[in-house]
Amino acid sequence: MKKILMGHNFLREGFKSLEGKFEIIYPEKSHFNKEEVLERIEDIDVLVPNFTFRTDKEIIDAGKNLKLIANFGVGYNTIDTEYAAQKGVTVTNTPYSVLEPTAELAFALIVATARRVGFYNNKLHSDERISWGIFDNLGTSIYGRTLGIYGMGRIGQAVARRAIASGMKIIYHNRRRLDEAIEKQYNARYVDFDTLLRESDVISLNAPATSETYHLMSDEQFKAMKSTAILVNTARGSLVDEQALIRALHNKEIYAAGLDVFENEPKIPEELKQFENVILTPHAGTQTYEDRIKMEEEVAKNILNFFSGGEINKVN
């Protein structure tokens, strides 16, 4: 019987389809650390890794029988996919189950930053006084504003769908322009990156972490944005130069930021925590019970289909 090593002590519901067909090894605690994976992986057929360390050459080489790395999540920057391919190991991800919940959180951050929800909540939960005057503590409306989406893929389009329902206008930038039919669906206008920076009232980052997107947003880009603009990042922390963002917020070059991802997770710069116009969430884009089950089911489907010759979400 083929063996699966689970990097996390996952919920069992989403992996029911694997039971009886594979020997499944779960950690007793929350997750295996790298040393524990190295101790167990020699005769493992499938690794479902975790995010606390990189699935690197050392792990892949130690997996003498390894055939598949089935990633739990859409982002696979913590896996050496190129080396896996060289060693004949397939890597898959879960692009469909993460779609709607990630878009939900992205849009929640857009609304929360614009309407100062975090600021109001923090003040009212503390002993600090807050004025209830009709012209005090004003936020900004998103109705009629322009949302600039960097990365108009599945998640970007799901964010756009929510934004349209709230009366926002859509512009976007991709490496490749979308088909005209898709643009018409969202009444979206394709622009270059510089135009996206200049015209957007809100910028939503929805692109993967690559060498091209590393520190996509840095000093020059923040200076090009409107001083009333909001940055939302639910993609990967490496897209934003955090020190440049801190400078932009300090100098009031942008209005606010909503961040679900960070460069050195789980560490967050102390300076970011001090801004009342910054909302922080702990990489929670898919943190719902329902979606965790769906993600597990998508991982299980990749595993079953890999060995049966069915369709898989291969990334290498």
Side-chain angles (χ1 to χ4, degrees):
M1 185 177 287
K2 292 181 173 59
K3 295 182 178 181
I4 301 173
L5 184 65
M6 295 290 186
H8 284 278
N9 197 351
F10 291 102
L11 300 170
R12 303 301 193 262
E13 290 92 325
F15 292 124
K16 287 181 179 178
S17 62
L18 302 176
E19 294 175 1
K21 300 170 185 170
F22 299 85
E23 179 182 342
I24 307 174
I25 303 167
Y26 290 98
E28 292 182 4
K29 298 180 180 179
S30 65
H31 63 274
F32 286 125
N33 60 36
K34 185 174 182 179
E35 290 71 26
E36 291 168 333
V37 169
L38 288 169
E39 289 172 2
R40 292 164 172 80
I41 200 170
E42 184 173 5
D43 64 343
I44 294 296
D45 298 277
V46 180
L47 172 66
V48 182
N50 62 50
F51 317 119
T52 60
F53 55 86
R54 184 169 174 78
T55 302
D56 57 12
K57 293 180 180 180
E58 185 180 14
I59 291 176
I60 294 168
D61 283 338
K64 305 298 183 183
N65 203 41
L66 192 62
K67 302 173 184 66
L68 174 66
I69 300 172
N71 191 48
F72 179 79
V74 66
Y76 47 88
N77 54 302
T78 58
I79 302 170
D80 192 335
T81 55
E82 291 184 7
Y83 189 69
Q86 292 174 27
K87 301 293 286 188
V89 178
T90 297
V91 181
T92 58
N93 70 342
T94 61
Y96 299 103
S97 52
V98 304
L99 172 59
E100 296 299 338
T102 303
E104 277 181 356
L105 185 64
F107 194 68
L109 289 173
I110 291 170
V111 176
T113 50
R115 295 302 308 272
R116 305 189 73 185
V117 173
F119 169 78
Y120 299 146
N121 178 74
N122 292 343
K123 292 294 186 185
L124 293 174
H125 270 279
S126 72
D127 293 330
E128 294 183 57
R129 293 182 60 82
I130 184 170
S131 172
W132 292 57
I134 60 173
F135 293 110
D136 296 332
N137 309 307
L138 298 178
T140 185
S141 177
I142 63 169
Y143 183 83
R145 304 288 181 167
T146 298
L147 172 62
I149 297 176
Y150 187 94
M152 189 77 162
R154 296 185 187 96
I155 295 175
Q157 289 177 39
V159 175
R161 189 171 69 247
R162 289 163 170 80
I164 291 168
S166 294
M168 299 189 80
K169 304 168 188 173
I170 307 297
I171 61 176
Y172 77 97
H173 180 73
N174 269 359
R175 284 180 298 175
R176 299 181 186 85
R177 185 170 180 173
L178 297 173
D179 291 340
E180 185 177 353
I182 298 176
E183 289 186 340
K184 285 184 177 179
Q185 182 179 350
Y186 301 103
N187 195 23
R189 178 165 56 94
Y190 178 77
V191 297
D192 60 34
F193 185 40
D194 290 340
T195 302
L196 187 89
L197 293 170
R198 288 196 313 270
E199 294 189 6
S200 297
D201 296 298
V202 180
I203 292 178
S204 177
L205 302 181
N206 302 102
T210 66
S211 56
E212 290 81 12
T213 60
Y214 178 75
H215 281 190
L216 172 79
M217 300 299 298
S218 196
D219 290 291
E220 181 181 350
Q221 289 72 39
F222 290 123
K223 285 179 169 59
M225 291 172 64
K226 297 179 180 180
S227 61
T228 55
I230 295 166
L231 175 72
V232 169
N233 186 13
T234 55
R236 283 294 181 267
S238 61
L239 273 64
V240 177
D241 180 341
E242 288 178 345
Q243 293 305 313
L245 174 59
I246 290 166
R247 288 190 289 271
L249 290 163
H250 180 75
N251 295 329
K252 298 187 179 352
E253 291 169 352
I254 65 172
Y255 176 73
L259 307 172
D260 184 48
V261 289
F262 308 90
E263 284 196 82
N264 299 297
E265 295 176 2
K267 296 180 180 177
I268 301 173
E270 288 300 318
E271 298 97 319
L272 276 178
K273 300 176 185 178
Q274 307 307 315
F275 290 106
E276 292 182 326
N277 56 340
V278 175
I279 291 183
L280 309 172
T281 53
H283 205 141
T286 57
Q287 285 277 27
T288 72
Y289 177 81
E290 298 87 351
D291 193 61
R292 288 299 189 229
I293 300 299
K294 289 179 181 177
M295 290 172 69
E296 290 180 354
E297 290 172 345
E298 194 168 2
V299 170
K301 182 179 179 182
N302 279 328
I303 294 171
L304 290 167
N305 285 357
F306 175 80
F307 289 104
S308 67
E311 184 178 347
I312 59 174
N313 300 316
K314 185 177 179 180
V315 299
N316 71 336

